Amino acid sequence: MTEKEAKFLEGAFKRYYFEHFEMLGIPDRITEREFGFQRFDSGMIRHISLKTDRELKLLLMKEVPSDVYCSCACYTFPSMPMKEKDWKEADLIFDIDAKDLNLGCRADHTISVCGKCGRTSAQTGSCSACGSTGLETKSLPCRKCIAASKEQVRRLSDMLVRDFAAEPDAIQVYFSGNEGFHVHVSNSQFQQCGSKERAELVDYIMLNGAIPETFGMRKQKPRRDSFPDFGQWGWQDRFARAVYGSKSNRPKEITRLVQAGYASFPQTIAAVSERMGARIDPNVTVDIHRIFRLPGSLNSKSGLAKMHCTNLDSFDPYVDASFLVTDKVEVRADCPVRFALRKRGFGPYKDETVEVPMYAAAYMICKKLARIP
Amino acid sequence: MLELGQDEMAKYPFMADAGQYLRNLGFQLEQFGSDPDLKGMVDRAFERIRVAAEGQVYGSDIRDGRVSGDAELQREIISFLLAIVLLKLCGIQTLVRRFALAESRRAEKFLERDLTGRASGTKTELATRIIHDLFSIRVKKSDDFFVMRIADYLRRAVHFHERSWKLVNRRVDGGLVFLSPHETVRLIRAELGIYINTKINAARAPPMIPGFEGYVGELHQIAKKFSTGTVTGGEYPPCIKHAIDVLEKGENLPHSGRFMLATFLLARGQSVEQIAPLFKNAPDYNEKITLYQLNHLSGGSGSGTEYNCPSCQKIRMQGLCFAVPECDNIITPLQFGRRKN
C-alpha cells in the first residue's frame, strides 16, 4: 500500500467516523479503560485514557485511525505503563476466526499478494512477477466461512449459559469486521480471574486436556453405567449427543468403546471436541491486558465495521457491516476472486482499471488487491 | 469471630488465639522452660515439628473427631502453640513452611470428616463455615457433593498440575463445580498451609526462653538437611529445538513461538546480540524490528518490564509442544535437563 492508498482510506474512514459516530460502542467505565489505535502509516499507540465520549470523537477526528482498540480490562491508572496501571478486573472475551477453522473453501478465496511489487499470485512459494519470497496471504471470507464461524459462536454461547451460568443479556456477539466474531461477556463470576484461570476456561470450551476417566473409561474393567448419558451435565450430555447419536444407540456404542480400549479413547475425545467444542483463539481469552477492536469502529483489513449482532442467524456482514459511501471511485484492481458487498457482485478483475463504489474500492484496497491509479 | 467448642479447638488449633489461650489457663511461657512437669509438653511440641520436617503428619490423640478428656485437649493445643514458639525462636523459614503444610494436612483429615457429616449434621455446617471464614469460599452441600463457584475453584485449582484437577475433567453445571468432600478439602490445602504460615510469621518472636535452647539447637540441625543443589543441563527442550529448526529452514514461526524462544534464551543468559541472528531467515525478517523487540523483551527498554518464558501448559495450548519422555512433567521449558540432588 502506498501513500496514495493510505490517504484514500484515511479520507473514507474519516468520513465514516464523522457521519456515523453514534455507531461506536462506548464502553462502560470509560475512564478505567485503556485505549489504543493505529494509523495507516504507523504502529500501535497505546496507554491512552479518555474521560468522555466526546474525547473519543475528538481522537477519531484528529488521528483518523486505521483501527481503534479498547481494553477488556479496567485499571486504576489506564494511561500508566503496564506494570503501574493497577489491573482491577476484565471482561471475558473470545475471538472466533474463520482462518482457524480449516475449512475446505479457503483455497478458493485466498490470494497471495507480494509485499515487494504488489502483484497477486496464485502460488504460495514466491512471487510469480518478481520472485520475492515476502508473500502475504489475503482472504476474502465467503458465506461458508461466515456460517461456520456462526456455528462456533452458537456452541460457545451455549456453553457460557448452560455450563458457566453467564446471563444471556451479558453476552454480546460482534462481527469482527473481517473474518469472524468477537464474543464479550461482562459481569460474570470471572471478572477477577487471571490468565491461568482463563486458560482453564479455554481448555474447557475446546475440550483440551480431557482424560478418559472423565467420560467413564478406565484402564481396567470400565463400568458401563459410568459412561455419559443424555440429559446429564455439560460435557457428558455433549459427549452422548456426539458419540451415541440417539438413546437407543447408547448400549451399542459403549460396547464398541470398551472393546476399542483405553489407549484409543483419546481419539474419541478429539472427535467430540471437533463436533461439540468451540474453536476459539486461546491467546485472546487468556490475555487480561488485551485491547480489542472498539465496536462500531472500522477494520482496516476490510473497511467493514465491527458490528454488534442482535440476530446472529440473519446477520450478513457484507450487508450489515458495510457503511462506507457509494460514491464512484476509479481503481486499478488485481483481484482473482469474485466477492459480494451490499448484494452486488464484484470481480474478478485482472489487473484492470474499474469504476466501483467507494465501499468496494476500500474493501479491495484494504486487502491489497487494488491501487489508486 | 467463629466460636469454637473444645473439640474443634483441638482439631483446628491454628484458629485459637495463642496468647489468650495460655493466659486463660494461667500459664506463663517461661514455666515451660523451667518446670520439669511441663517439659513433656515441650517434648511434644518439638516432636510435632520434627515429624512435620520429615514430611509426615502428627498423629493426634483425637479419636473419631472427639478429644477424650480436657487434659488431653489442653495437651493438643498447647503442643501446637509451643511448637510455634520454638519455630519463632529458631527462625528458619523451611521449617515453618513444612510445619504449616503438615498442620494443614492434619486439619484436612478432620475437615473432611466433618464435611462428610458422618458424625453429625452440625459438623458439616461448622466445616463449611470455617472454609468460608478463612478463605471466603462459599461451599454448599448438594447430595454427596460440595458445590462452589467455578471462579473460586479455578483460583485454587490452577496450582495443581495433575490433569484430574483441570476444569474440563470436573462436573460443571450452572456456573458451579461439584467436588467430593475429599477434593474440597484437598483444594484448600495450599491455602490452609499459607494461612497457618502467615499466622506463624505474624506472631511476635519472644526472647529466648531458658530451657528451650537445646530444642532450638536441635531444630537448626534438622533444618540443615534440607538444602538442595541443582545441576543445570545444557540441552534444549524439544519445543525450543523445533522453534530454532523452523526459523533455520526459513519457515514462519508464529509470534507465540518467537516469544517463547526469545524469553527462553534470555533466561538462559544469552544476549540480544546472540539471539538476533536466529531470526534472520524468517520470511518477514527485519533487523531493526527484531533488535527492538528483543531489547524490549530483555527489559532493556523504557518500561523495564520483564517477560517470563511461557509455561509448558501455555505452549501446549499454542500447539508448540513436542514433549519427549525426558520432559518428565516439567512446568516450564527452563526446567528441562535439570536434575535435583
Side-chain angles (χ1 to χ4, degrees):
Chain A
M1 190 184 298
T2 69
E3 207 179 303
K4 263 199 273 187
E5 281 83 42
K7 274 245 145 357
F8 167 77
L9 288 175
E10 237 180 63
F13 279 34
K14 185 167 188 169
R15 192 164 165 187
Y16 168 80
Y17 287 123
F18 186 71
E19 291 175 357
H20 293 284
F21 182 73
E22 77 290 349
M23 298 279 303
L24 283 152
I26 313 293
D28 64 336
R29 299 166 73 173
I30 185 174
T31 56
E32 296 169 82
R33 308 271 181 185
E34 177 201 352
F35 288 83
F37 67 91
Q38 274 168 296
R39 276 202 295 261
F40 288 98
D41 55 2
S42 71
M44 178 81 80
I45 298 171
R46 280 182 75 151
H47 313 300
I48 295 171
S49 175
L50 301 171
K51 292 196 194 53
T52 60
D53 6 342
R54 187 175 146 72
E55 280 188 24
L56 174 62
K57 184 160 193 176
L58 286 172
L59 178 84
L60 295 172
M61 296 317 299
K62 177 162 171 271
E63 305 289 349
V64 194
S66 60
D67 306 273
V68 195
Y69 305 95
C70 174
S71 63
C72 61
C74 290
Y75 303 100
T76 313
F77 309 111
S79 56
M80 299 290 268
M82 209 45 103
K83 254 192 192 153
E84 297 160 57
K85 285 193 203 295
D86 187 29
W87 185 93
K88 293 203 284 201
E89 59 183 272
D91 301 330
L92 204 52
I93 52 170
F94 303 93
D95 182 15
I96 288 167
D97 202 315
K99 72 175 186 304
D100 297 330
L101 302 181
N102 293 325
L103 298 167
C105 59
R106 297 298 285 180
D108 299 339
H109 53 69
T110 302
I111 306 162
S112 297
V113 180
C114 179
K116 218 169 172 202
C117 72
R119 300 296 299 278
T120 58
S121 192
Q123 303 160 270
T124 46
S126 52
C127 175
S128 44
C130 73
S132 158
T133 50
L135 288 180
E136 297 171 40
T137 47
K138 300 290 171 190
S139 166
L140 281 69
C142 67
R143 294 209 162 287
K144 292 201 195 105
C145 295
I146 302 298
S149 302
K150 283 185 184 179
E151 171 58 22
Q152 301 299 315
V153 173
R154 284 187 205 102
R155 292 184 194 176
L156 174 63
S157 298
D158 174 64
M159 252 182 264
L160 290 172
V161 173
R162 274 177 57 189
D163 299 32
F164 296 167
E167 289 295 319
D169 291 340
I171 304 176
Q172 307 290 326
V173 179
Y174 301 90
F175 170 62
S176 70
N178 193 29
E179 290 213 80
F181 294 87
H182 296 170
V183 179
H184 298 197
V185 187
S186 45
N187 299 323
S188 70
Q189 55 170 297
F190 307 106
Q191 289 288 116
Q192 306 270 313
C193 283
S195 282
K196 289 207 177 97
E197 290 94 317
R198 288 170 201 241
E200 281 295 307
L201 295 178
V202 168
D203 283 349
Y204 183 92
I205 289 165
M206 298 174 79
L207 199 59
N208 283 340
I211 53 179
E213 285 78 356
T214 301
F215 298 107
M217 190 62 174
R218 305 240 175 288
K219 288 195 177 121
Q220 321 273 12
K221 296 206 187 86
R223 286 177 41 195
R224 291 182 70 90
D225 59 0
S226 308
F227 281 79
D229 204 351
F230 294 89
Q232 284 182 317
W233 63 91
W235 276 108
Q236 303 295 303
D237 178 62
R238 289 185 192 101
F239 182 101
R241 283 187 280 134
V243 177
Y244 312 149
S246 69
K247 258 191 171 328
S248 51
N249 233 3
R250 183 170 179 263
K252 198 171 55 170
E253 284 299 319
I254 293 179
T255 307
R256 185 183 63 78
L257 287 169
V258 171
Q259 277 173 358
Y262 186 89
S264 61
F265 202 84
Q267 291 166 20
T268 308
I269 296 178
V272 175
S273 166
E274 176 73 35
R275 279 197 60 188
M276 310 301 265
R279 221 44 164 307
I280 56 177
D281 183 341
N283 294 317
V284 170
T285 306
V286 153
D287 187 355
I288 58 172
H289 298 290
R290 193 86 174 181
I291 50 173
F292 58 79
R293 191 175 301 281
L294 192 65
S297 68
L298 295 177
N299 189 324
S300 68
K301 293 191 202 129
S302 63
L304 302 173
K306 170 168 166 169
M307 280 299 294
H308 181 241
C309 306
T310 36
N311 185 334
L312 183 68
D313 294 333
S314 60
F315 182 83
D316 181 352
Y318 300 117
V319 172
D320 302 324
S322 176
F323 290 93
L324 298 182
V325 296
T326 51
D327 302 2
K328 293 273 194 278
V329 173
E330 206 176 72
V331 294
R332 189 149 184 95
D334 188 9
C335 176
V337 172
R338 189 175 159 76
F339 64 94
L341 276 175
R342 298 201 202 170
K343 301 200 194 280
R344 253 189 74 174
F346 298 94
Y349 304 118
K350 202 161 159 63
D351 199 17
E352 50 191 284
T353 305
V354 288
E355 200 185 58
V356 292
M358 182 173 297
Y359 60 79
Y363 186 77
M364 285 193 285
I365 291 174
C366 286
K367 302 251 173 219
K368 308 223 172 112
L369 299 172
R371 285 167 291 140
I372 303 289
Chain B
M1 191 52 228
L2 203 59
E3 279 302 304
L4 290 181
Q6 297 192 353
D7 295 340
E8 275 70 52
M9 283 265 268
K11 282 186 286 187
Y12 314 117
F14 45 84
M15 304 211 50
D17 182 339
Q20 196 65 42
Y21 187 80
L22 285 176
R23 272 195 294 279
N24 287 351
L25 288 179
F27 283 120
Q28 300 272 39
L29 212 47
E30 291 68 27
Q31 287 174 268
F32 290 95
S34 51
D35 189 333
D37 290 333
L38 296 176
K39 187 173 178 298
M41 302 261 211
V42 193
D43 285 337
R44 264 208 182 195
F46 177 85
E47 187 59 16
R48 212 159 165 151
I49 302 174
R50 191 195 62 77
V51 165
E54 304 274 309
Q56 306 295 331
V57 178
Y58 177 70
S60 312
D61 278 346
I62 303 183
R63 308 257 176 276
D64 298 327
R66 292 194 60 237
V67 181
S68 333
D70 276 354
E72 288 176 44
L73 155 78
Q74 286 179 11
R75 272 204 292 277
E76 274 300 313
I77 302 178
I78 293 176
S79 64
F80 177 84
L81 300 175
L82 287 177
I84 296 190
V85 171
L86 285 173
L87 284 167
K88 297 301 291 188
L89 287 174
C90 98
I92 297 177
Q93 264 309 305
T94 19
L95 286 182
V96 173
R97 243 181 296 134
R98 283 172 183 250
F99 179 77
L101 179 63
E103 288 295 323
S104 71
R105 285 170 64 192
R106 174 185 170 277
E108 241 181 76
K109 288 198 198 144
F110 296 121
L111 212 49
E112 188 180 331
R113 210 176 309 165
D114 286 349
L115 268 185
T116 313
R118 248 176 283 164
S120 84
T122 50
K123 300 276 185 211
T124 311
E125 205 191 291
L126 174 77
T128 52
R129 278 197 59 198
I130 289 179
I131 294 174
H132 178 253
D133 285 1
L134 288 190
F135 313 118
S136 309
I137 308 177
R138 216 166 286 274
V139 177
K140 279 232 279 286
K141 205 168 191 296
S142 173
D143 295 328
D144 292 331
F145 291 100
F146 285 85
V147 285
M148 63 177 69
R149 288 190 335 159
I150 300 175
D152 287 335
Y153 172 79
L154 287 178
R155 188 157 296 132
R156 284 94 194 162
V158 289
H159 300 297
F160 292 81
H161 302 297
E162 296 96 341
R163 286 230 172 154
S164 48
W165 285 94
K166 286 183 72 64
L167 188 69
V168 71
N169 293 312
R170 287 283 169 215
R171 175 173 165 179
V172 175
D173 200 6
L176 301 168
V177 178
F178 290 65
L179 299 172
S180 68
H182 176 77
E183 288 163 343
T184 306
V185 165
R186 179 70 181 83
L187 189 70
I188 55 167
R189 172 189 294 178
E191 226 159 323
L192 191 50
I194 293 171
Y195 177 83
I196 298 173
N197 208 328
T198 311
K199 258 208 141 170
I200 296 173
N201 285 335
R204 243 188 333 202
M208 179 56 79
I209 295 160
F212 276 31
E213 299 93 341
Y215 293 106
V216 175
E218 281 220 49
L219 286 178
H220 276 281
Q221 287 305 311
I222 293 176
K224 280 212 176 88
K225 283 194 277 174
F226 299 128
S227 52
T228 50
T230 53
V231 175
T232 317
E235 179 146 1
Y236 290 161
C239 49
I240 300 296
K241 281 198 188 146
H242 174 262
I244 296 176
D245 195 42
V246 165
L247 285 172
E248 199 115 310
K249 285 202 244 166
E251 288 165 17
N252 183 43
L253 184 68
H255 172 78
S256 40
R258 302 184 194 203
F259 179 85
M260 166 192 79
L261 179 62
T263 47
F264 176 89
L265 293 173
L266 284 167
R268 276 281 179 99
Q270 292 201 15
S271 69
V272 166
E273 287 70 35
Q274 285 173 301
I275 301 174
L278 285 171
F279 292 89
K280 69 179 185 328
N281 287 342
D284 58 348
Y285 177 68
N286 177 316
E287 187 181 352
K288 251 167 105 184
I289 293 186
T290 305
L291 284 171
Y292 169 82
Q293 289 185 332
L294 285 173
N295 265 316
H296 194 82
L297 279 182
S298 68
S301 72
S303 71
T305 320
E306 277 169 32
Y307 295 87
N308 295 322
C309 183
S311 64
C312 290
Q313 184 197 31
K314 186 149 217 262
I315 291 169
R316 241 178 273 130
M317 201 161 60
Q318 292 165 338
L320 297 166
C321 173
F322 302 91
V324 294
E326 285 75 26
C327 286
D328 196 26
N329 289 325
I330 50 176
I331 314 294
T332 100
L334 291 167
Q335 290 176 330
F336 187 81
R338 280 181 169 192
R339 300 271 174 272
K340 271 217 173 91
N341 276 348

